[in-house]
Each structure stands twice: as structure tokens, then as C-alpha cells.
Amino acid sequence: MLVLLPPSEGKADSGRGAPLKPEGLSLPGLAEAREAVLSELVELCVADEEKAREVLGLSEGLRGEIAKNTGLRTAGTRPAGEVYTGVLYDALGPATLDAAAKKRAARSLLVFSGLWGAVRVTDRIPSYRCSMGVKLPGLGALGAYWRTPMAAVLPEVAGDGLVLDLRSAAYAAAWKPKGEVAGRTAAVRVLHAPTRKVVSHFNKATKGRIVRSLLAAGIAPKGPAELVVALRDLGYVVEVREPARAGTAWTLDVLVDEVH
């Protein structure tokens, strides 16, 4: 099972570990693209703070994020699973999983990123600010920029099992499973049951809880149909839309009234 996650806007401070070692990150096929984004981001933030604030879409109160980006090559690092914070990651609680579940998380979880493309939760990265919606002056919109390198790397990473897609739209734009991989991909939406609408807090928290439930129980469905059964067994209310044609993903709607 491969679980595709969005990152979080909020991030923990860089750790005191060794600085970034790009060659040590997972998915080495993305190395060249990562270096291009990293170089342009750092250069932008060093050269023109005001332009960087505009490009990154930062409010005046977040101006300090630009200084963070200028030091990405020398800042301390920590595992990505500790860097990303926010509602989804609070609900997932990577640090509080037992040892066996942590090993499953290391194998299964892939976090998409405007800067790194995608990383494992065990990859050591510094804290940064660069969403997939950013349009860098030299590389253009990052969602579009990442499509080619992702298309070359991700099908192999997906293996032959279930792909559980929990990404938001901006990050889903960077890689869309196709063909045989799409047929075993399940894209999950979380809907507020009374209104049938996506509510941000419900959506993020429930996705985090789903991942935690699967990891903690040691459940690794082989395909979307098995995932539906597993989620229902875990107590989730799930509605299913099977693919209308071959080569497209399943859509699962998880209905919630409240988040505990």
C-alpha cells in the first residue's frame, strides 16, 4: 500500500541534525528536479525579499519564512514526519505510533511537496516554505513543473498494491495515476454528512485518523475494494464510486458527523 499525503503549511522548526543531504533523500529519480527548485527558491529569497514574499504568497506577518528559505542548505534537519504539523498530522500522530506501525509508515507514506516533489516520512529535511501552488519565475507553476519527473518515478514507487490518495487538489496536480496504476488507486474525500460538503477541519482530521487506523491495525488492502471493506470494518461510513472506465481511479466518500 502506498499512501499519498499533502504536506502542511505549518511546519516544525528545523532540527539540530546535520544539514540537508539531497543525495540521501528517497526517490533519487527526483534529485535533478529537486535541485532546480531548491536553487531557484534560495536564490529568489536571498536576492529580493519583497519579490519572494509576493511569489510565495506570504502575508507581512510571515515575512520571516523568507529568511528560513535562504538557509535551507545549511539549516538542521529532522524526519519529514516530524517537520509537517497541522490537523492531518496531529490526527495521524506519527510519533505516537508503536514500533511496528512506524515501520509500516516508513514504507507506505509519501508526502508531496512543492520543494521536494515527494518524500518519505523518514527523509530528513529542513523546515521550509514553498507550496505546490507557487509559480517560480524561472520554473513556472510547480504543480505543472513536477508532472514530468513524477510521471517517470512514481509508477515504480507505487508497486503493485493499493494507492490511497489523500492529497488536496493542488498536490494531486503534480501526479495523476494512469492506466493500470489508476485502476488500483482510491481517491478519498471526507464529507460532512448533514451537508454533504467538504469541511476543511473534518477533511484533514479524518484523513489523518484513517491513515493511523490502517497503520495501527496492520491493514494493507491490496486494492480499492478491499480498502472499502477495511474502512467499514474500522467503523467508517463509506460510499463508493467505482471507475466508469478502465484506467481511472476509484472515488471513496467518507461521511462524518463530527471529529473526535
Side-chain angles (χ1 to χ4, degrees):
M1 178 176 67
L2 181 68
V3 182
L4 310 180
L5 296 174
S8 58
E9 286 296 327
K11 298 175 183 69
D13 291 337
S14 295
R16 297 190 177 188
L20 175 70
K21 296 180 179 178
E23 70 279 5
L25 297 178
S26 302
L27 283 61
L30 299 178
E32 184 177 346
R34 285 172 177 150
E35 178 58 32
V37 179
L38 177 61
S39 294
E40 182 167 350
L41 179 63
V42 171
E43 182 179 344
L44 170 69
C45 292
V46 168
D48 190 333
E49 183 175 297
E50 194 55 40
K51 183 177 181 180
R53 189 169 74 86
E54 180 181 341
V55 169
L56 296 175
L58 300 177
S59 66
E60 182 64 34
L62 292 174
R63 186 180 288 272
E65 297 290 283
I66 299 168
K68 178 190 295 184
N69 283 348
T70 65
L72 286 173
R73 294 190 186 276
T74 57
T77 59
R78 64 173 70 196
E82 297 177 14
V83 170
Y84 296 114
T85 60
V87 175
L88 188 154
Y89 291 90
D90 285 347
L92 171 55
T96 62
L97 293 169
D98 64 32
K102 285 180 179 178
K103 289 181 180 178
R104 297 181 195 111
R107 293 193 302 265
S108 302
L109 306 187
L110 197 64
V111 184
F112 276 62
S113 162
L115 174 53
W116 313 115
V119 292
R120 301 283 189 185
V121 291
T122 51
D123 284 334
R124 298 190 69 91
I125 58 173
S127 184
Y128 67 95
R129 189 71 174 229
C130 184
S131 72
M132 193 66 82
V134 164
K135 184 176 182 180
L136 291 175
L139 298 178
L142 290 177
Y145 170 79
W146 280 111
R147 285 175 197 155
T148 298
M150 289 288 195
V153 172
L154 266 294
E156 182 177 354
V157 176
D160 58 4
L162 170 71
V163 178
L164 174 54
D165 192 350
L166 302 178
R167 297 171 296 168
S168 55
Y171 292 89
W175 181 58
K176 183 178 180 180
K178 295 181 179 179
E180 183 269 336
V181 178
R184 49 188 168 84
T185 296
V188 172
R189 302 189 308 172
V190 178
L191 304 181
H192 182 221
T195 63
R196 311 290 295 189
K197 295 180 179 179
V198 176
V199 179
S200 180
H201 180 80
F202 282 72
N203 179 53
K204 294 176 181 178
T206 302
K207 286 179 177 178
R209 289 174 58 210
I210 285 172
V211 176
R212 184 179 180 89
S213 296
L214 294 171
L215 293 174
I219 299 172
K222 297 184 182 301
E226 287 189 23
L227 174 64
V228 173
V229 173
L231 291 179
R232 287 174 175 165
D233 286 346
L234 288 168
Y236 293 96
V237 178
V238 183
E239 295 180 350
V240 184
R241 282 183 287 164
E242 296 185 21
R245 62 184 185 279
T248 55
W250 293 50
T251 299
L252 275 54
D253 288 340
V254 177
L255 307 182
V256 295
D257 291 310
E258 58 185 24
V259 177
H260 301 287

